[in-house]
Amino acid sequence: MSQPSTAPTPPAGPRVPEAVHRRRWAVLGVLMLSLLIVVLDNSILNVAVKTIAAPAPTGIGATQSELEWSINSYTLVFAGLLFTSGLLGDRLGRKKVLLFGITVFGIGSALAALSGSPGELIAYRAVMGLGAAFVMPATLAVLMNVFERDEQPKAIGIWAGSVGLAIAIGPITGGILLEHFWWGSIFLVNVPVVLLALALMLWLVPDSRDPRPGRVDIPGVLLSVVGLVLLVYGIIRGGELASFTDVTVVAPVLGGLAVLVVFVLHERRSDHPAIDMSYFKKPAFSAAVAAIALVFFALMGVTFFSAFYLQSVRGYTALESGLLILPLAVAQMVFAPRARLVVERFGARAVCTGGMLLVAAGLAAFAFFEADTPVWVLEVVFFLQGAGMAHIMPPVTVSIMQALPREKAGSGSAINNTFRQVGGALGVAVLGSVLSSTYRGEIEGHLGGVPAALRDTAGESVEATLAVAAKLGPAGKDLVGPAYTAFLDAMHVTAIASAAIGLAGAAVVAAFLPGRANPGGSGAGTGAGAAAAPAPTAATATDKAPTG
């Protein structure tokens, strides 16, 4: 009997070692715990800003700019080192990098809890940012190396849902701690969680790395760090000054952009680039990266001022504010793990566009919030925002991560998180400056009776105005009403700007993300498979025998 001229290609076997595959869900749980603590810390801090701004002994008397720097010192270090930490994880081993990062984060948390001044808090938050920069990319990179390709969308959805869990736990935990303990407890609570995460990592998480890393692109690494730090610093400085024309803003922004241009040119010409720039030529990949930056630009700015709206204007406690944000977190927890099912049916383009429109609608709703807006309206808006985010983050993350070979998972995760952090920093800085400048313009006409020495401080923020009013006693009562009105007007303007950014994100994903996947495609129904690179043939996860 004659043989067929071409034998059918046998199906590819599993690429993840069986011992790792069996405990993949337990590994995912450890990764979620690591991610949880990093995200939880920021969500706690958002609830605590009012307390930290209070004079000692309640807080440490942080000014508006010092509050922004307590958030942005973390962001500056985090964003500047994300790309480098991803490369180091691919080269040295993701488990090693993860253990290092979570340890540094725990040390920084303990030091931040004992801060005696705003300056110390800002410095120790930078230490926390250093640790987090090594944790965030490593969690996603490990995930990509313990799950087979067809399960990655599901795992990424659950991973993204843990962000919703952190958003839920953070404000509530922060509120409880602030009601019963001093403000530093919001950082000290991280320490026992870090110790638990370290023990579980040593026991369960396998190590993985790029088996053929090639030479280290030292110029590329240095250029990426310098460029990102300069750019993010300039953005933060612009938000602090509420102006983007000052030389101390323009110089670092332009310098950072120039260095990043040199970085791109260097990477395109290098025979051993830190990141292959050809991936950005794929519309789906670039659109996914842009979507992450735009959604966090819009949301981070709103998150910053919503704490003041709920606590300063509405009069809710930190715990009550945390409970009010719960619908946003619940929506993410419920919908993010299921987003892949919606993508399988409708495609990444439709799902992400719908998600961005939901986010934009939620942001626009803030333009109509007043001091007496019914609570149920706030809850519906927060829920819609959470549902929108839950249908954006998993599909675009899958699109980015499956575009790169598995051995480059650390680099892919670093790109994902770098654009998210730069977008978030821009959101806090740009939208924060819109809020500050609008507020100052509204309140200045009511500061005529304030002593000249206090007038400039009183115009900084609603919290500063209320603090000055309290110092003035009965003479300051006339400032309270105008302060609330000025803040609401400023919030409305900022909300409209945020919603416009959300609409821009919707336009980007509608234009460039892929539609429905072909029924016979290999993207696991993600709708993001169009950007995927061919899978390498050798597994990069290596099993380690449990040590505990």
Side-chain angles (χ1 to χ4, degrees):
M1 181 181 292
S2 61
Q3 298 294 326
S5 57
T6 304
T9 303
R15 297 179 54 240
V16 178
E18 180 59 28
V20 175
H21 183 73
R22 283 198 305 268
R23 64 176 190 263
R24 65 196 185 283
W25 297 110
V27 172
L28 179 59
V30 179
L31 299 178
M32 289 171 61
L33 181 63
S34 306
L35 180 67
L36 177 74
I37 189 173
V38 173
V39 178
L40 179 145
D41 178 76
N42 278 328
S43 61
I44 285 182
L45 185 58
N46 285 328
V47 172
V49 288
K50 184 175 182 291
T51 304
I52 296 173
T58 303
I60 51 176
T63 65
Q64 180 82 2
S65 63
E66 288 170 338
L67 285 174
E68 290 185 11
W69 271 106
S70 69
I71 294 172
N72 287 324
S73 64
Y74 178 99
T75 302
L76 181 65
V77 177
F78 191 23
L81 293 177
L82 271 172
F83 187 71
T84 301
S85 68
L87 293 175
L88 290 175
D90 287 343
R91 171 171 290 273
L92 302 177
R94 288 127 193 170
K95 180 176 181 176
K96 296 182 183 69
V97 165
L98 190 55
L99 289 169
F100 170 78
I102 200 73
T103 300
V104 172
F105 186 86
I107 293 170
S109 297
L111 292 171
L114 303 175
S115 299
S117 67
E120 288 185 8
L121 177 61
I122 291 168
Y124 295 141
R125 285 280 297 164
V127 174
M128 295 172 68
L130 170 64
F134 284 84
V135 171
M136 186 74 81
T139 59
L140 192 51
V142 171
L143 181 155
M144 297 299 289
N145 280 274
V146 298
F147 284 90
E148 299 290 356
R149 187 177 179 85
D150 61 339
E151 282 190 321
Q152 287 171 0
K154 180 179 180 180
I156 287 174
I158 296 171
W159 178 86
S162 66
V163 175
L165 181 62
I167 292 174
I169 294 175
I172 297 171
T173 304
I176 294 172
L177 290 170
L178 291 172
E179 286 196 355
H180 295 90
F181 304 100
W182 97 114
W183 66 268
S185 61
I186 65 170
F187 298 112
L188 197 61
V189 72
N190 294 337
V191 176
V193 184
V194 163
L195 294 175
L196 175 62
L198 282 171
L200 292 174
M201 283 177 204
L202 289 169
W203 179 30
L204 290 170
V205 175
D207 205 357
S208 60
R209 69 185 73 192
D210 186 346
R212 293 178 297 275
R215 288 182 292 157
V216 179
D217 180 17
I218 293 177
V221 168
L222 293 176
L223 286 169
S224 70
V225 173
V226 173
L228 286 169
V229 168
L230 283 174
L231 175 62
V232 175
Y233 173 80
I235 292 167
I236 292 170
R237 181 66 177 159
E240 184 182 14
L241 298 177
S243 169
F244 284 85
T245 58
D246 190 273
V247 67
T248 61
V249 177
V250 175
V253 167
L254 292 181
L257 290 173
V259 172
L260 290 175
V261 168
V262 174
F263 168 73
V264 171
L265 294 174
H266 168 77
E267 295 300 289
R268 291 179 64 182
R269 295 174 181 175
S270 174
D271 58 358
H272 57 289
I275 180 64
D276 187 347
M277 288 295 161
S278 66
Y279 290 114
F280 286 94
K281 295 180 180 178
K282 301 176 180 180
F285 181 85
S286 295
V289 167
I292 286 176
L294 290 170
V295 73
F296 273 86
F297 180 103
L299 281 171
M300 285 299 290
V302 171
T303 300
F304 183 73
F305 69 68
S306 64
F308 289 99
Y309 169 69
L310 293 172
Q311 295 182 48
S312 298
V313 177
R314 299 299 296 260
Y316 294 114
T317 65
L319 177 57
E320 289 168 341
S321 298
L323 292 171
L324 285 171
I325 300 174
L326 196 58
L328 186 148
V330 170
Q332 285 200 58
M333 292 168 59
V334 170
F335 293 118
R338 295 169 174 80
R340 64 187 174 85
L341 302 175
V342 186
V343 171
E344 286 174 4
R345 180 163 185 177
F346 299 105
R349 180 188 303 153
V351 172
C352 290
T353 301
M356 291 294 293
L357 290 174
L358 269 181
V359 169
L363 296 170
F366 274 87
F368 301 95
F369 285 178
E370 301 292 347
D372 58 352
T373 299
V375 171
W376 68 266
V377 176
L378 274 68
E379 301 300 88
V380 169
V381 169
F382 283 134
F383 185 84
L384 290 177
Q385 283 185 320
M389 283 196 71
H391 288 90
I392 299 168
M393 300 312 298
V396 297
T397 302
V398 170
S399 186
I400 292 170
M401 295 306 296
Q402 291 193 342
L404 276 68
R406 185 179 295 205
E407 64 267 22
K408 302 295 184 184
S411 301
S413 180
I415 291 170
N416 176 69
N417 287 292
T418 298
F419 276 83
R420 184 173 73 175
Q421 288 302 313
V422 171
L426 270 169
V428 172
V430 175
L431 298 179
S433 68
V434 171
L435 183 75
S436 297
S437 59
T438 306
Y439 178 82
R440 186 177 287 277
E442 292 279 340
I443 197 65
E444 274 185 349
H446 301 276
L447 300 178
V450 177
L454 296 175
R455 197 169 298 157
D456 189 60
T457 301
E460 280 188 358
S461 65
V462 61
E463 199 60 36
T465 305
L466 295 176
V468 169
K471 283 184 180 179
L472 296 176
K477 288 183 178 179
D478 292 340
L479 284 177
V480 175
Y484 290 155
T485 301
F487 177 82
L488 289 171
D489 289 345
M491 185 180 76
H492 296 163
V493 172
T494 309
I496 292 170
S498 302
I501 298 298
L503 290 175
V508 169
V509 297
F512 298 109
L513 276 188
R516 292 184 63 183
N518 294 328
S522 60
T526 66
T537 57
T540 56
T542 58
D543 187 29
K544 298 278 188 179
T547 58

